[in-house]
Amino acid sequence: MRRLKKTPLLKARTSGIGHLADSDILCGIVARSTGIKKDVRSDDEHYISLGFKALHRNEGDAWARLQLRLDEMRQSLSLIEAAGAIEL
């Protein structure tokens, strides 16, 4: 993930590209990349018991969506570890 974030020109080529403003029609990771904090997992008792917190970004561009996807991958590993399914 660190190598991907440091890829030359990746940020320059994706920042400000595909910008979306928050809207009621957006959902999922696209909505969360615009600052909308709504996530259906936030109300799930199993996720809550594992310490789940909805992640979000505010920029709404392709870079924010990529960053959020990477953040959610890291969070997924933490949730799996909390569930006791694997040891990191």
Side-chain angles (χ1 to χ4, degrees), residues 40-56:
V40 296
R41 298 170 292 180
S42 296
D43 298 328
D44 185 291
E45 63 185 65
H46 296 96
Y47 277 94
I48 293 168
S49 70
L50 296 173
F52 175 80
K53 300 280 188 243
L55 303 175
H56 69 281

Side-chain angles (χ1 to χ4, degrees), residues 18-34:
H19 185 270
L20 299 169
D22 65 0
S23 167
D24 291 339
I25 62 171
L26 299 177
C27 63
I29 203 161
V30 175
R32 290 190 305 279
S33 75
T34 66

